[in-house]
Amino acid sequence: MNIYSFLADDDQQSNQYKYVLNTTSKLQERRKSDRSESIFGDSDLRSCALRLAQQGDYAEAIALLTQLICRHPHNAVDYNNRGLIYFQSGERQKALYDYNTALKLNPYLASAYNNRANYYAACGELAVALTDYDRAIDLKPHHIRAWINRGITWRDLGQYEEAIENFEVALLFGQLEGHIWAERGRTYHLWGDWNCAIADYRRALTQLPSLDNDNDITGCRLRFQLENWLDELLSQSAS
């Protein structure tokens, strides 16, 4: 299987990062010193949990989401988000359990199908993954992450034409162009169309964050892969 970056959903992530950073330390101290119910609201806990996950503090993020689940045991979004963080931390079986629970609570949650599909694809169960990506797109036709991820999975199956078609649709939404061009370029690369691959790689490099950008770990990881792919291709072209 190729190494690639699936795009996961984090629907509840707040953009108010300054506030989140200010409250994160307070939440951590509160949890250490007081077992009573947190004075912070649900949205504060959720935002801080996802921000902590971005910073790599998975254990604390999971603890905050677990607190939310205790408060609201029927909230599918919190199970989905905790599953995402479990997956990022390498605890795949716990992630699958949370995704399944989220979908039992809300069988129409498109982001949970996308995230569960990422789990199946990472485990090599590509046909099962495609079924979940299909479901996510059926529920939410403009689900750009599912379109990209489904394209990656088709590519991994060697179905390059289908992969390109998915990336072409994803480009219509006008978002995540750097990711899409990188993945489409990789598809052209593996398909043997090196000119198109180089063009897409270079387009992607104008959009993806620099390697020292801490705010977009997925984008940085993809840029690192892309630079390796481009070096590989250029070396092959020169030989």
Side-chain angles (χ1 to χ4, degrees):
M1 179 181 293
N2 298 317
I3 299 174
Y4 41 60
S5 299
F6 289 112
L7 294 178
D9 284 303
D10 50 357
D11 290 345
Q12 297 297 318
Q13 184 174 356
S14 171
N15 290 323
Q16 299 175 340
Y17 288 145
K18 289 183 180 179
Y19 173 75
V20 169
L21 288 172
N22 288 336
T23 58
T24 296
S25 60
K26 296 178 184 178
L27 279 164
Q28 291 171 315
E29 290 303 316
R30 177 74 178 184
R31 289 189 65 255
K32 292 175 182 177
S33 62
D34 189 352
R35 292 187 179 181
S36 64
E37 182 167 287
S38 174
I39 60 173
F40 292 94
D42 294 346
S43 61
D44 298 331
L45 287 175
R46 191 171 290 117
S47 297
C48 287
L50 293 172
R51 181 58 176 173
L52 284 165
Q54 280 195 331
Q55 296 171 335
D57 192 348
Y58 298 124
E60 186 68 22
I62 288 167
L64 292 180
L65 285 169
T66 299
Q67 184 176 340
L68 275 168
I69 289 168
C70 289
R71 288 185 186 182
H72 308 288
H74 301 295
N75 189 324
V77 170
D78 290 329
Y79 278 102
N80 183 40
N81 284 336
R82 191 176 69 173
L84 170 59
I85 298 172
Y86 273 133
F87 183 78
Q88 291 172 337
S89 68
E91 297 190 74
R92 290 183 178 179
Q93 287 304 310
K94 290 181 179 180
L96 179 61
Y97 174 84
D98 274 357
Y99 296 149
N100 287 337
T101 302
L103 290 169
K104 286 179 183 177
L105 293 169
N106 181 1
Y108 303 102
L109 187 59
S111 59
Y113 284 105
N114 175 68
N115 290 344
R116 191 174 69 175
N118 291 347
Y119 161 85
Y120 285 128
C123 293
E125 299 182 52
L126 302 185
V128 181
L130 287 174
T131 299
D132 269 359
Y133 290 134
D134 290 347
R135 183 61 173 151
I137 291 169
D138 287 343
L139 289 168
K140 190 176 178 182
H142 59 285
H143 198 306
I144 185 169
R145 288 171 172 81
W147 282 102
I148 297 170
N149 292 334
R150 191 170 69 173
I152 291 170
T153 305
W154 277 121
R155 182 183 71 208
D156 212 49
L157 286 165
Q159 301 297 318
Y160 300 124
E161 187 171 355
E162 287 85 350
I164 294 294
E165 288 176 359
N166 276 259
F167 298 137
E168 299 270 347
V169 172
L171 282 170
L172 298 176
F173 299 115
Q175 301 172 41
L176 299 171
E177 287 97 337
H179 291 266
I180 301 166
W181 283 325
E183 300 295 358
R184 190 178 70 175
R186 181 58 174 169
T187 306
Y188 280 127
H189 186 168
L190 295 173
W191 205 3
D193 191 335
W194 291 1
N195 289 331
C196 286
I198 291 171
D200 272 355
Y201 286 160
R202 287 175 173 165
R203 289 190 189 100
L205 286 171
T206 67
Q207 296 289 322
L208 292 172
S210 61
L211 293 176
D212 59 356
N213 187 323
D214 295 331
N215 293 324
D216 187 354
I217 295 173
T218 301
C220 290
R221 185 185 301 119
L222 181 57
R223 184 184 187 91
F224 179 75
Q225 291 178 339
L226 188 155
E227 290 178 351
N228 287 334
W229 294 337
L230 184 58
D231 289 344
E232 173 192 337
L233 185 52
L234 292 176
S235 65
Q236 289 174 345
S237 299
S239 61

